Amino acid sequence: MEKPIHILVTNDDGINAPGLLALAQAMRALGKVTVVAPDHNWSAGGHVKTMHRPIRVRETELADGSKAYHSDGAPSDCVAVALLGFIKQKVDLVVSGINPNANIGSDVTYSGTVTAAMEGAIACLPSIAVSQDSPEYYEGKLDFSTSARVACEVAEKVMEKGMPEGTLINLNVPYLPYESLKGYCITRQGIRLYHDVLVRRKDPRGKPYYWIGGPAPTGVPEKDTDYGAIKSGYVSITPLKLDLTAEPAIRTLKSWKFKLKE
Ligand code: MN
């Protein structure tokens, strides 16, 4: 019998997030699951390597009573600590999420969900970031069942096929019942539109402080992009690479003829 695969599950919303529980439970259908997640919400925390303070890891339980670990490090720290030896058993797959909001376009540079998966790719492991496009306003609890099911399907395929080196998957799922999904769409990063505003207020001592706020971001729903896909009811699978080189700009910049001064 083939050895069951070992899946490292993490997120950026923290150990108590319902999306993490849904993902961990879904992944158990594919193999052994170890959860190492941040002890608080790191959403939009970016790709972090904590170097100037120690990182603590503590054993805890998820809401279903299963064993898990939480750490005071960032999502990417959780993956690094786990893969550098905290987890003794070899890990075969890293899955991060389920983030309750889509991570599209340049969100991927802010997203703790995606950067956790990037850390997995740095360690040369197949890695998947899972996010769902939940509505801005909703009543009751968010439903993660569609995304969890989709994450399982994608993870299964990734384990079957293997991932190209230095590549991770950014998975975005529309907030729809599974039966209403139109299918899968392999996409490129689209354009996210931010509507941030800088709020300037005064603290109780009269000194100004700043808060970045404003309405939720939107995007350009272009065909074959992450945003375009989820907005038309498709699951978006974007292969991301850690090499951020803007290839077409190399020629342009070469033509500028940079020269050291004599
Ligand atoms: Mn988040």
Side-chain angles (χ1 to χ4, degrees):
M1 209 179 97
E2 245 181 276
K3 218 171 149 236
I5 64 163
H6 183 206
I7 307 159
L8 173 64
V9 171
T10 191
N11 74 344
D12 78 350
D13 302 305
I15 191 80
N16 294 319
L20 178 76
L21 178 65
L23 186 62
Q25 288 178 335
M27 287 298 140
R28 277 183 211 136
L30 301 184
K32 189 193 162 181
V33 169
T34 301
V35 174
V36 185
D39 62 10
H40 67 274
N41 194 330
W42 275 83
S43 293
H47 201 165
V48 173
K49 181 174 285 194
T50 295
M51 295 176 76
H52 303 288
R53 63 169 178 86
I55 297 171
R56 306 277 180 185
V57 186
R58 290 185 178 87
E59 194 178 317
T60 182
E61 270 182 11
L62 297 185
D64 64 358
S66 60
K67 190 170 111 172
Y69 299 95
H70 64 80
S71 139
D72 60 359
S76 40
D77 289 325
C78 291
V79 174
V81 165
L83 299 180
L84 287 171
F86 176 75
I87 302 298
K88 298 285 177 269
Q89 192 189 333
K90 186 182 152 287
V91 171
D92 303 296
L93 174 71
V94 177
V95 190
S96 172
I98 300 167
N99 198 64
N101 298 107
N103 275 306
I104 65 112
S106 9
D107 289 347
V108 302
T109 60
Y110 294 110
S111 167
T113 310
V114 177
T115 51
M118 284 178 178
E119 197 64 30
I122 285 175
C124 300
L125 287 177
S127 303
I128 306 168
V130 189
S131 310
Q132 74 177 25
D133 191 27
S134 306
E136 207 183 333
Y137 303 102
Y138 58 91
E139 275 179 35
K141 284 183 185 168
L142 275 180
D143 185 350
F144 288 96
S145 60
T146 300
S147 304
R149 195 166 160 188
V150 165
C152 256
E153 289 180 1
V154 172
E156 232 179 332
K157 185 71 101 183
V158 163
M159 288 319 294
E160 179 198 326
K161 301 278 185 190
M163 281 296 290
E165 211 184 296
T167 308
L168 59 135
I169 283 181
N170 185 28
L171 180 64
N172 282 284
V173 185
Y175 194 72
L176 292 170
Y178 183 84
E179 293 70 27
S180 307
L181 292 172
K182 286 199 187 141
Y184 285 95
C185 189
I186 307 301
T187 57
R188 58 185 165 84
Q189 264 178 269
I191 296 167
R192 187 55 126 175
L193 299 172
Y194 300 102
H195 310 288
D196 294 348
V197 287
L198 190 65
V199 178
R200 185 185 194 269
R201 290 188 185 138
K202 275 188 179 164
D203 73 14
R205 284 164 203 85
K207 288 201 168 154
Y209 67 86
Y210 303 90
W211 204 307
I212 300 172
T218 54
V220 181
E222 256 180 304
K223 199 173 173 279
D224 297 327
T225 66
D226 44 18
Y227 193 71
I230 54 170
K231 287 303 164 193
S232 39
Y234 288 87
V235 174
S236 166
I237 297 181
T238 315
L240 297 180
K241 62 190 174 77
L242 296 168
D243 177 354
L244 300 177
T245 312
E247 296 283 350
I250 287 183
R251 250 184 91 179
T252 312
L253 268 67
K254 275 186 174 171
S255 76
W256 293 3
K257 310 253 184 257
F258 285 92
K259 262 203 182 87
L260 293 172
K261 291 239 167 79
E262 299 280 308

